[in-house]
């Protein structure tokens, strides 16, 4: 699947994206806010990430911005099935922070999940020392559950408190994102 918004294209990552992906994510302030990314993040890590099999019901995208002279990778966004529900997560490179990209990409992925995949409930979380991510989740319609659970951060090497959010994708929402399979 692919999606196009006003400023972004969401598409699967390709092997030739490894260098650009590494450049975008390899910032300590990015990976310490993620559960699975290592620090330091290397080209080998990007190649391994991009080589993972893609599941039809688990969208995983690189986020490309079109606001420069050429499209450039500014982050990644995904949904995956874990334990008993769908999980949602994203990251952006620091130069893309505060521009609304996470919200824009998030709306596209959540509409895709609802309309193309039939997903009705999604969970997400953010480390409590990263409140900006909680604000993005709230803008996307997620609601805090009140639970704060320990979650391992590979980059930090320890468990850190993670606030848990949930979203019900109701039938009243309209699909306004261009999608292609």
């Amino acid at each position: 699947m692919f999606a196009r918004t006003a400023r972004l294209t969401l598409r699967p990552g390709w092997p030739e994206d490894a260098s650009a992906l590494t450049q975008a994510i390899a910032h300590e302030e990015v990976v310490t806010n993620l559960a699975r990314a290592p620090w330091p993040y290397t080209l080998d890590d990007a190649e391994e990430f991009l080589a993972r099999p893609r599941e039809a019901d688990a969208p995983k995208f690189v986020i490309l911005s079109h606001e420069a002279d050429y499209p450039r990778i500014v982050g990644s966004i995904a949904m995956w099935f874990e334990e008993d529900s769908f999980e949602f997560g994203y990251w952006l490179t620091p130069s893309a922070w505060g521009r609304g990209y996470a919200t824009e990409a998030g709306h596209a992925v959540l509409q895709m999940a609802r309309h193309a995949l039939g997903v009705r409930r999604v969970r997400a979380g953010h480390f409590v020392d990263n409140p900006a991510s909680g604000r993005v989740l709230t803008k996307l319609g997620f609601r805090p559950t009140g639970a704060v659970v320990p979650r391992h951060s590979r980059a930090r090497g320890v468990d850190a408190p993670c606030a848990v959010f949930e979203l019900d994708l109701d039938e009243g929402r309209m699909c306004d994102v261009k999608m292609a399979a």
Side-chain angles (χ1 to χ4, degrees):
M1 284 190 266
F2 293 73
R4 175 74 191 233
T5 69
R7 302 177 298 162
L8 307 171
T9 294
L10 310 180
R11 65 162 173 79
W14 300 323
E16 57 268 27
D17 292 326
S19 179
L21 182 67
T22 303
Q23 185 177 2
I25 192 174
H27 301 272
E28 190 171 13
E29 63 265 35
V30 172
V31 296
T32 56
N33 285 319
L34 303 175
R36 297 184 180 125
W39 180 252
Y41 195 94
T42 68
L43 181 62
D44 288 342
D45 296 314
E47 289 171 345
E48 185 273 324
F49 174 78
L50 293 166
R52 290 182 191 159
R54 292 187 187 103
E55 298 173 32
D57 62 348
K60 177 174 76 172
F61 303 105
V62 292
I63 303 169
L64 290 98
S65 167
H66 296 278
E67 293 194 308
D69 294 337
Y70 58 91
R72 68 181 180 97
I73 294 177
V74 296
S76 181
I77 191 164
M79 284 186 57
W80 61 95
F81 198 79
E82 189 170 291
E83 294 178 18
D84 61 345
S85 70
F86 279 93
E87 296 281 329
F88 172 83
Y90 66 91
W91 62 264
L92 292 175
T93 196
S95 65
W97 291 354
R99 303 186 65 153
Y101 290 162
T103 304
E104 190 172 326
H107 278 298
V109 169
L110 292 169
Q111 288 180 356
M112 221 182 281
R114 180 177 174 263
H115 295 286
L117 302 175
V119 174
R120 294 290 176 247
R121 175 173 234 114
V122 183
R123 281 192 314 216
H126 71 88
F127 291 119
V128 296
D129 59 358
N130 181 18
S133 193
R135 289 190 294 276
V136 169
L137 294 174
T138 300
K139 288 178 192 175
L140 291 171
F142 283 87
R143 299 287 176 244
T145 65
V148 175
V149 298
R151 182 145 192 198
H152 189 74
S153 168
R154 186 172 167 199
R156 298 177 194 210
V158 298
D159 287 353
C162 178
V164 180
F165 285 64
E166 287 186 347
L167 173 64
D168 286 320
L169 297 172
D170 63 30
E171 289 295 331
R173 298 176 82 168
M174 299 299 292
C175 183
D176 60 357
V177 174
K178 296 176 181 130
M179 295 180 262

